[in-house]
């Protein structure tokens, strides 16, 4: 369990930025830092971090997944929360490390690290009780909840809760929201036809909401859905929830 | 090279009517299931209970099978064991031959599909007639079931009407669902009356009493097990439970998970053939207990959870992949997530290993499984088994997915991710050079644009912002 | 096949994982329904799956039965003159369509059952409120096929024999032990949803189920 007590907010946290955000969407990582700072939290970002190991783990390469995951363990020694701006990577660390490290000499250490992992949106709501003030124009936003967020991490309601703070934002959930967008990591490459059918259907449901903007807690899904929307020429911006929130709360001079 | 699975899936994706029919039925089944659980607490509690029942039954499998056998025999039911599909088929054939029967009427049985009984009997001059409405339709169409409880879900009423009309032109053409059902009733009724042998599957077997339990709505299973002088039940060895009190919760969670019904029309508990003084019921009841690879799963603690399955199809109904490609694409007897963990274990990763990749690991299957089978975790495990080179793995076909070049790539990736300096350097170079990912990603760009690497990495940006690194 | 048996069991015994997992969780019946509530639930569920419920008393049930026979234009009624309820019907045979009874083994009346019988009357051993279910225990007097083959099945059930759930029926011994050669739970007339998940009633079993509650 986390070392935090019910009454006090954590004042310092680790950020695990994820390799996807590191390489493709660093602005989401920066926004995560800004939001946490906005809530009065100090951030430690170990520069030696790389990847949680999920790509290899889900592809059946356990030896490689273990090596990569093991390299992360020692980077987070303090008994403070580890914030992950991705439910998918957070799930890997929080729930799959126990399986990955089962029977290994550092199993106990892995479990300890796992117990300190939080997905960002859940952390903002449950642990920080963050307060946000909307400075943006009226906007309809479609919320995509990743499968990891909905299922193991159980944070599906956190983005809608965060968006409630923003009085000019009308958050909508697309039809069949519980259906996977078809990304699935290497699935998109190994089964491209099925993945394409899935993401195109997801796009149809998102477009049908009439939203001008799409947000999610996972860049894996956003990369999949966003790229498909772009290919179809649909003018519907997609953003990580951290970026979106950070932009909305900036005071804009007229 | 495109695999057979991918070709099948693509073909299903291109058939508009299959897409429409599948989409409609899976969403209906999901709504029905959802409506069956008024209180989420009740569902969770019942699931915990049913998981414990099935887990204990699987753990005690050999003892329960021995107890079951003893009690079945005491009740006058004849017990046959079969290690393989071939042995099971021969058991059925020899019973048919002993009774000089040329026709067998069948209630729904996925095990009979597993052993390809109909085909086998046909080769021996025996006609097998499916009597479940969905199976009857599938048999007329010369197809295999596309689903384990709704075999004809990929067909709409017009297609079914045309099929029946083509085979039975004597009856007036109709697309009315009630009239179609009545048509099947008329066509099959004589067969129920005159067949000498009936065959069914089994949903549960009770070890303490030697009882076979059958779940159904139509009454054809009762017909096949009640009217002919001989009833043969074929079943996998894993269907046994310990005691009668295990049955009510399992039945409740089975029917609600499957179709959202609180109970099916019939729950048929057979403990003996016709007894002295009784006027009807079969004079002989036979049970064929089939292994056919199940005991291999039993060997591995994690994989043994697969044997808990009660064949409700909830995972199939909730699978977004199944929803798009239907059952036939899998090329297996059991499609969908449960099929993708079960078939590779029983038939080999070399044959069905690709099915473990036919999932985004979204977890919808695990979420709805009424006996808590961690389907997504087992898919993940079997992906590992497919690449393993060690000798500790008992899964048939283990290591068959090992590709040296792929392994080398993963090793390179792991080396980079375990050497932070190399990682930082390569990511920085990649972003500076705006590396275009290789053409291998056609699969991605057919329906998507290619994501662009950022100008600078998060590592760099946070360093520039002066964020502490320890 | 003895080899197959021994091989399978040997494999399973060899692999067996010995430790027990914790016994059953605290799952129990969630309902605390009184008799009235049980009757209501039973009736509502039965009606929801197209069964007919006739409420009667020990004095009026014969009237109800006679009226349903004429309403359904039944040409005949199959019953046992030896059963608790059948006796009473047989005693007033003139009020009903021609009564049929089969005293021979099945083979002697199978054809007649399939082609000539309009309706069968049987007793019900118990009922289940929560699912709207009859527990039918076929007997030498009221064989297995009676609740299956004729187009109409009429069953009589005493209100006090309605349990809350199947779990309770098993726990309270509302099911005979040891189990009889055949025990049936019947919840409505036969149905199918195999075409487009659309309900069609009366496929292979009875097209109508009528329950007389006394």
């Amino acid at each position: 369990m986390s070392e935090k007590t019910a009454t006090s907010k954590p004042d310092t946290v680790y950020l695990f930025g994820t390799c996807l955000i590191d390489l493709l969407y660093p602005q989401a990582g920066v926004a995560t830092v800004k939001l946490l700072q906005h809530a009065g939290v100090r951030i430690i970002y170990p520069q030696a971090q790389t990847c949680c190991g999920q790509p290899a783990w889900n592809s059946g390469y356990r030896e490689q997944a273990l090596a990569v995951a093991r390299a992360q363990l020692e980077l987070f020694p303090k008994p403070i929360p580890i914030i992950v701006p991705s439910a998918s990577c957070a799930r890997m660390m929080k729930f799959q490390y126990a399986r990955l490290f089962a029977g290994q000499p550092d199993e106990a250490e892995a479990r300890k690290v796992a117990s300190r992992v939080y997905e960002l949106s859940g952390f903002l709501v449950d642990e920080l009780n963050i307060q946000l003030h909307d400075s943006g124009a009226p906007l309809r936003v479609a919320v995509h909840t990743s499968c990891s967020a909905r299922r193991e991490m159980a944070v599906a309601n956190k983005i809608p809760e965060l968006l409630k703070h923003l009085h000019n934002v009308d958050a909508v959930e697309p039809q069949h929201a519980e259906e996977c967008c078809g990304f699935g990591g290497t699935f998109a490459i190994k089964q491209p036809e099925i993945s394409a059918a899935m993401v195109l259907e997801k796009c149809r449901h998102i477009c049908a909401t009439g939203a001008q903007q799409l947000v999610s807690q996972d860049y894996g899904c956003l990369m999949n859905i966003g790229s498909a929307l772009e290919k179809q020429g649909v003018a519907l911006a997609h953003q990580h929830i951290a970026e979106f929130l950070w932009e909305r709360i900036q005071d804009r001079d007229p | 090279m495109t695999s057979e699975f991918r070709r099948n899936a693509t073909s299903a994706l291109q058939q508009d009517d299959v897409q429409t029919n599948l989409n409609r039925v899976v969403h209906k089944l999901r709504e029905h299931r959802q409506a069956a659980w008024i209180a989420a607490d009740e569902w969770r509690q019942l699931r915990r209970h049913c998981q414990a029942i099935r887990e204990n039954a699987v753990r005690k499998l050999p003892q329960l099978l021995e107890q079951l056998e003893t009690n079945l025999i005491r009740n006058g039911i004849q017990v046959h064991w079969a290690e393989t599909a071939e042995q099971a088929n021969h058991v059925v054939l020899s019973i048919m031959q002993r009774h000089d029967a040329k026709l067998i009427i069948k209630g729904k049985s996925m095990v009979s599909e597993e052993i390809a009984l109909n085909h086998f009997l046909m080769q021996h001059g025996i006609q097998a007639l499916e009597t479940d409405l969905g199976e009857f339709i599938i048999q007329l169409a010369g197809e295999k079931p596309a689903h384990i409880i709704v075999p004809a879900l990929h067909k709409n009423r017009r297609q079914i009407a045309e099929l029946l009309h083509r085979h039975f032109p004597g009856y007036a053409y109709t697309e009315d669902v009630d009239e179609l059902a009545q048509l099947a009733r008329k066509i099959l009724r004589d067969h129920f009356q005159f067949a000498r042998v009936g065959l069914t599957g089994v949903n549960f077997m009770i070890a303490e009493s030697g009882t076979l339990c059958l779940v159904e709505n139509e009454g054809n299973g009762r017909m096949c097990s009640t009217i002919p002088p001989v009833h043969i039940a074929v079943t996998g060895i894993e269907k046994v439970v310990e005691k009668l009190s295990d049955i009510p919760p399992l039945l409740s969670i089975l029917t609600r998970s499957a179709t959202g019904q609180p109970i099916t029309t019939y729950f048929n508990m057979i403990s003996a053939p016709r007894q002295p003084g009784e006027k009807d019921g079969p004079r002989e009841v036979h049970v064929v207990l089939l292994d056919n690879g199940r005991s291999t799963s039993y060997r591995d603690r994690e994989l043994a959870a697969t044997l808990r399955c009660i064949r409700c199809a909830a995972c199939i109904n909730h699978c977004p992949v199944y929803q798009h490609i239907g059952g036939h694409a899998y090329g297996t007897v059991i499609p969908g997530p449960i099929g993708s963990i079960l078939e590779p274990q029983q038939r080999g990763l070399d044959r069905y290993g690709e099915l473990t990749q036919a999932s985004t690991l979204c977890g919808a299957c695990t979420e709805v499984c009424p006996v808590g089978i961690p389907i997504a975790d087992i898919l993940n495990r079997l992906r590992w088994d497919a690449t393993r080179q060690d000798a500790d793995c008992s899964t048939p076909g283990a290591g068959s997915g090992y590709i040296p070049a792929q392994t080398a790539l993963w090793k390179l990736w792991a080396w980079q991710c375990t050497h932070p300096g190399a990682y930082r350097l390569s990511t920085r170079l990649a972003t500076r050079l705006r590396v275009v990912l290789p053409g291998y990603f056609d699969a991605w760009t057919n329906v998507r644009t290619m994501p662009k690497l950022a100008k600078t990495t998060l590592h760099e940006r946070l360093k520039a912002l002066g964020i502490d690194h320890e | 096949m003895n080899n197959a048996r021994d091989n399978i069991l040997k494999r399973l015994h060899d692999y067996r994982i010995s430790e027990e997992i914790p016994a059953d969780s605290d799952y129990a019946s969630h309902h605390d329904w009184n008799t009235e509530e049980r009757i209501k639930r039973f009736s509502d569920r039965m009606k929801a799956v197209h069964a007919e419920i006739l409420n009667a008393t020990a004095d009026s049930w014969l009237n109800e039965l006679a009226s349903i026979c004429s309403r359904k234009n039944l040409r005949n009624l199959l019953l046992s003159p030896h059963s608790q309820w059948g006796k009473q019907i047989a005693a007033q045979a003139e009020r009903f369509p021609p009564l049929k009874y089969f005293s021979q083994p099945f083979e002697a009346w199978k054809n007649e059952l399939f082609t000539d019988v309009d309706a069968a009357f049987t007793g019900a051993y118990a009922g289940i409120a929560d699912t709207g279910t009859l527990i039918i225990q076929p007997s030498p007097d009221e064989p297995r096929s009676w609740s299956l083959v004729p187009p109409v099945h009429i069953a009589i059930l005493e209100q006090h024999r309605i349990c809350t759930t199947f779990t309770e029926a098993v726990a309270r011994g509302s099911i005979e032990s040891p189990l009889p050669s055949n025990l049936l739970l019947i919840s409505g007339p036969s149905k199918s949803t195999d075409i487009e998940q659309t309900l069609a009633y009366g496929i292979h079993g009875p097209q109508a189920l009528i329950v007389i509650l006394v």
Side-chain angles (χ1 to χ4, degrees):
Chain A
M1 285 306 293
S2 150
E3 274 83 349
K4 95 172 176 69
T5 60
T7 47
S8 67
K9 288 183 191 176
D11 56 7
T12 307
V13 301
Y14 285 117
L15 174 63
F16 185 81
T18 80
C19 58
L20 192 66
I21 285 179
D22 188 30
L23 260 174
L24 284 106
Y25 309 101
Q27 70 278 12
V30 173
T32 299
V33 166
K34 301 276 187 195
L35 271 178
L36 290 168
Q37 287 176 334
H38 173 78
V41 177
R42 180 179 156 246
I43 290 102
I44 303 174
Y45 184 79
Q47 282 280 334
Q49 63 178 280
T50 56
C51 170
C52 65
Q54 177 166 225
W57 170 248
N58 279 351
S59 301
Y61 289 86
R62 290 199 173 179
E63 199 185 312
Q64 288 74 25
L66 186 62
V68 171
R70 181 168 280 148
Q72 315 307 311
L73 290 186
E74 62 191 26
L75 306 175
F76 304 91
K78 297 184 179 147
I80 54 172
I82 303 163
I83 309 307
V84 186
S86 155
S88 172
C89 308
R91 165 190 171 269
M92 174 67 197
M93 300 170 82
K94 200 166 185 65
F95 295 105
Q96 301 290 311
Y97 273 13
R99 293 179 64 216
L100 178 57
F101 285 90
Q104 297 292 326
D106 43 2
E107 181 180 352
E109 202 189 334
R111 283 177 181 272
K112 257 188 225 157
V113 166
S115 73
R116 289 190 277 120
V117 167
Y118 292 83
E119 182 277 331
L120 175 67
S121 68
F123 188 74
L124 293 176
V125 172
D126 298 335
E127 308 301 318
L128 297 183
N129 189 22
I130 195 169
Q131 300 301 311
L132 302 163
H133 300 284
D134 199 0
S135 315
L139 188 73
R140 173 174 282 198
V141 176
V143 179
H144 172 75
T145 307
S146 74
C147 298
S148 302
R150 180 180 306 282
R151 305 215 164 92
E152 282 103 321
M153 295 304 294
V155 292
N157 59 339
K158 303 307 174 192
I159 290 181
E161 278 187 37
L162 288 165
L163 294 179
K164 274 188 207 150
H165 292 277
L166 308 181
H167 62 274
N168 259 344
V169 168
D170 171 24
V172 289
E173 185 179 63
Q175 204 193 356
H176 301 311
E178 72 292 345
E179 289 173 14
C180 176
C181 71
F183 177 54
T186 52
F187 175 82
I189 305 299
K190 292 201 167 173
Q191 301 296 339
E193 297 84 9
I194 307 172
S195 178
M198 289 168 75
V199 73
L200 292 178
E201 182 166 313
K202 185 57 75 182
C203 290
R204 276 196 296 280
H205 293 313
I206 289 168
C207 290
T209 61
Q212 295 129 297
Q213 165 102 38
L214 172 69
V215 297
S216 176
Q217 61 286 89
D218 271 85
Y219 243 121
C221 313
L222 280 175
M223 178 172 75
N224 183 40
I225 303 168
S227 310
L229 288 170
E230 206 172 287
K231 180 90 172 187
Q232 294 171 70
V234 177
L236 203 156
H238 60 276
Q239 260 183 330
H240 191 274
I241 185 64
E243 286 170 80
F244 179 75
L245 292 176
W246 181 241
E247 280 184 16
R248 292 293 299 192
I249 62 173
Q250 303 306 299
D251 277 326
R252 289 201 178 91
D253 294 325
Chain B
M1 198 186 69
T2 309
S3 67
E4 192 184 343
F5 171 73
R6 266 179 74 185
R7 284 199 305 276
N8 291 344
T10 306
S11 150
L13 286 165
Q14 285 163 348
Q15 295 171 53
D16 289 343
D17 52 349
V18 170
Q19 291 293 305
T20 313
N21 300 340
L22 266 173
N23 212 307
R24 178 175 47 211
V25 174
V26 298
H27 284 117
K28 264 194 195 179
L29 287 163
R30 289 181 201 171
E31 282 163 29
H32 293 164
R33 176 185 170 277
Q34 199 64 42
W37 302 103
I38 291 122
D41 281 355
E42 187 197 353
W43 148 248
R44 279 194 291 272
Q45 204 181 359
L46 183 57
R47 167 152 88 166
R48 259 203 316 278
H49 186 65
C50 289
Q51 179 175 336
I53 291 171
R54 289 296 299 147
E55 233 174 321
N56 272 318
V58 169
R59 292 203 177 191
K60 295 182 197 159
L61 190 55
Q63 298 94 312
L64 291 183
L65 283 169
E66 283 165 339
Q67 189 189 4
L68 174 77
E69 180 189 41
T70 306
N71 288 326
L72 285 170
I73 293 170
R74 190 202 59 214
N75 294 349
I77 293 176
Q78 300 177 50
V79 180
H80 311 264
W81 300 75
E83 287 188 87
T84 61
E86 196 193 352
Q87 286 178 5
N89 282 330
H90 279 284
V91 170
V92 176
L93 178 65
S94 72
I95 298 169
M96 296 293 291
Q97 287 170 337
R98 203 161 60 243
H99 291 273
D100 198 21
K102 293 288 170 215
L103 170 76
I104 187 164
I105 53 169
K106 289 181 65 197
K108 197 161 167 29
S109 155
M110 289 312 295
V111 167
S112 78
E113 293 288 336
E114 176 184 336
I115 61 178
L117 177 68
N118 294 8
H119 180 73
F120 173 85
L121 290 178
M122 197 173 68
Q123 288 176 323
H124 291 83
I126 291 169
Q127 189 202 350
L129 180 67
E130 298 289 347
T131 63
D132 169 84
L133 180 55
E135 293 284 355
F136 178 62
I137 292 163
I138 289 301
Q139 190 176 33
L140 289 178
E143 295 178 13
K144 290 192 166 132
H147 189 282
I148 63 172
I149 55 163
V150 199
L153 88 164
H154 58 300
K155 293 191 182 296
N156 60 31
R157 66 181 77 191
R158 184 182 45 77
Q159 293 167 317
I160 293 166
E162 283 166 6
L163 183 70
L164 283 171
H165 193 65
R166 202 159 57 242
H167 285 270
F168 304 99
Y171 295 97
Y173 179 85
T174 175
E175 290 182 13
D176 180 277
V177 172
D178 282 316
E179 288 176 18
L180 287 168
Q182 288 312 304
L183 191 57
R185 178 185 175 99
K186 280 186 207 129
I187 294 165
L188 290 169
R189 215 154 164 85
D190 276 357
H191 295 297
F192 289 134
Q193 187 182 338
F194 296 112
R196 289 190 209 163
V197 182
L199 181 135
T200 67
V202 171
N203 293 92
F204 310 112
M205 300 182 280
I206 309 172
E208 69 170 5
S209 60
T211 302
L212 311 176
C213 303
L214 276 66
V215 178
E216 60 152 341
N217 280 315
E218 294 184 8
N220 65 308
R222 283 188 67 199
M223 287 283 188
C224 295
S225 62
T226 307
I227 307 299
V230 180
H231 170 212
I232 305 171
V234 291
T235 176
I237 50 175
E238 80 283 11
K239 291 286 175 72
V240 67
V241 296
E242 190 171 356
K243 48 194 191 287
L244 176 62
S245 61
D246 291 340
I247 294 295
L250 285 176
L251 176 63
S252 173
I253 211 160
L254 170 63
T255 63
R256 290 201 267 183
S257 298
T259 56
Q261 298 181 86
I263 194 168
T264 50
T265 303
Y266 301 114
F267 185 63
N268 183 6
M269 303 172 79
I270 300 164
S271 300
R274 188 187 305 191
Q275 296 298 289
E278 286 184 349
K279 296 193 182 73
D280 68 2
R283 294 186 183 277
E284 285 178 24
V285 178
H286 299 262
V287 179
V288 184
L289 298 171
L290 177 70
D291 181 343
N292 205 26
R294 288 163 176 80
S295 56
T296 313
S297 303
Y298 194 68
R299 191 169 186 168
D300 184 287
R301 200 179 170 143
E302 185 178 14
L303 300 179
T306 313
L307 298 176
R308 276 185 232 155
C309 177
I310 56 171
R311 302 291 192 271
C312 71
C315 64
I316 300 174
N317 300 341
H318 287 76
C319 178
V321 171
Y322 178 90
Q323 167 190 342
H324 280 91
I325 63 172
H328 290 151
Y330 291 81
T332 52
V333 174
I334 312 260
I338 184 66
S340 297
I341 62 169
L342 192 147
E343 303 276 2
Q345 287 179 52
Q346 294 180 4
R347 302 309 142 239
L349 282 162
D350 42 344
R351 255 178 94 187
Y352 289 122
E354 189 184 4
L355 297 184
T356 64
Q357 308 285 349
S359 165
T360 60
L361 304 180
C362 76
C365 47
T366 304
E367 186 178 34
V368 297
C369 178
V371 289
I373 304 172
I375 299 177
D377 285 348
I378 295 178
L379 283 167
N380 172 290
R381 156 68 196 273
L382 291 170
R383 289 182 184 184
W384 178 41
D385 287 356
T387 67
R388 282 168 85 167
Q389 294 294 290
D390 58 275
D392 295 342
C393 181
S394 57
T395 311
S400 59
Y402 175 79
I403 302 167
Q406 216 169 65
T407 309
L409 275 176
W410 282 110
K411 280 187 176 162
L412 183 67
W413 169 85
W415 183 84
Q416 191 198 354
C417 289
T418 47
H419 293 79
Y423 173 85
R424 277 198 302 274
L425 182 67
S426 61
T427 53
R428 196 151 59 198
L429 276 175
T431 52
R432 286 308 177 281
L433 299 171
R434 308 309 294 273
V435 168
V436 179
L437 296 163
Y440 165 64
F441 288 93
D442 273 3
W444 176 269
T445 52
N446 273 337
V447 295
R448 305 174 191 87
T449 56
M450 199 68 216
K452 293 187 184 67
L453 294 175
K455 290 195 184 101
T456 51
T457 64
L458 181 63
H459 281 70
E460 292 172 277
R461 291 200 193 184
L462 295 188
K463 199 169 189 179
L465 285 173
I467 299 299
D468 295 336
H469 55 85
E470 58 178 19
Chain C
M1 284 301 124
N2 267 334
N3 266 347
R5 175 192 186 275
D6 296 345
N7 293 345
I8 293 169
L9 287 173
K10 180 174 186 316
R11 272 199 297 273
L12 295 178
H13 276 297
D14 284 352
Y15 306 152
R16 188 160 52 92
I17 311 148
S18 53
E19 89 254 38
E20 281 273 326
I21 52 158
D24 292 345
S25 63
D26 50 359
Y27 173 75
S29 163
H30 278 73
H31 314 299
D32 185 19
W33 296 334
N34 60 24
T35 311
E36 203 173 299
E37 183 69 15
R38 286 201 296 272
I39 295 167
K40 186 185 174 306
R41 299 272 178 166
F42 174 86
S43 306
D44 288 351
R45 287 267 15 127
M46 270 288 185
K47 286 177 196 160
V49 290
H50 289 208
E52 282 181 57
I53 302 286
L54 303 176
N55 289 298
T57 62
D59 299 324
S60 72
W61 74 273
L62 283 167
N63 300 338
E64 291 288 347
L65 179 63
S67 84
I68 195 83
C69 289
S70 68
R71 197 143 44 83
K72 296 259 172 200
N73 288 320
L74 299 180
R75 291 172 305 145
N76 51 51
L77 182 63
L78 175 65
L79 57 78
S80 163
H82 310 302
S83 72
Q84 177 195 353
W85 307 98
K87 262 184 224 160
Q88 302 177 49
I89 302 170
Q92 300 184 30
E94 67 288 349
R95 299 176 60 191
F96 300 96
L99 303 181
K100 279 182 187 276
Y101 178 60
F102 300 131
S103 53
Q104 302 293 309
F106 190 38
E107 288 67 24
W109 44 267
K110 191 174 180 180
N111 188 51
E112 197 178 344
L113 183 73
F114 267 88
T115 53
D116 256 358
V117 175
D118 272 10
F121 174 93
T122 74
Y125 191 74
I128 301 168
D130 153 64
T131 49
T133 300
L134 293 172
I135 301 178
I136 301 271
Q137 189 176 316
S139 63
D141 278 337
E142 295 175 348
R144 307 179 191 201
S145 57
W146 287 19
S147 61
L148 176 64
V149 178
V152 177
H153 175 208
I154 305 171
I156 189 161
L157 173 66
E158 290 170 290
Q159 290 177 348
H160 72 266
R161 301 200 61 99
I162 302 179
C163 310
T164 305
T165 60
F166 187 18
T167 299
E168 187 199 284
V170 169
R172 288 225 199 128
S174 298
I175 284 175
E176 195 171 277
S177 178
L179 284 166
S181 51
N182 188 207
L183 188 83
L184 295 157
L185 268 54
I186 299 181
S187 310
S190 139
K191 64 178 183 284
S192 175
T193 55
D194 274 348
I195 303 176
E196 295 186 358
Q197 273 294 295
T198 303
L199 266 170
Y201 281 93
I203 170 132
H204 298 304
Q207 295 160 311
L209 172 67
I210 297 155
V211 181
I212 304 175
L213 268 179
V214 294

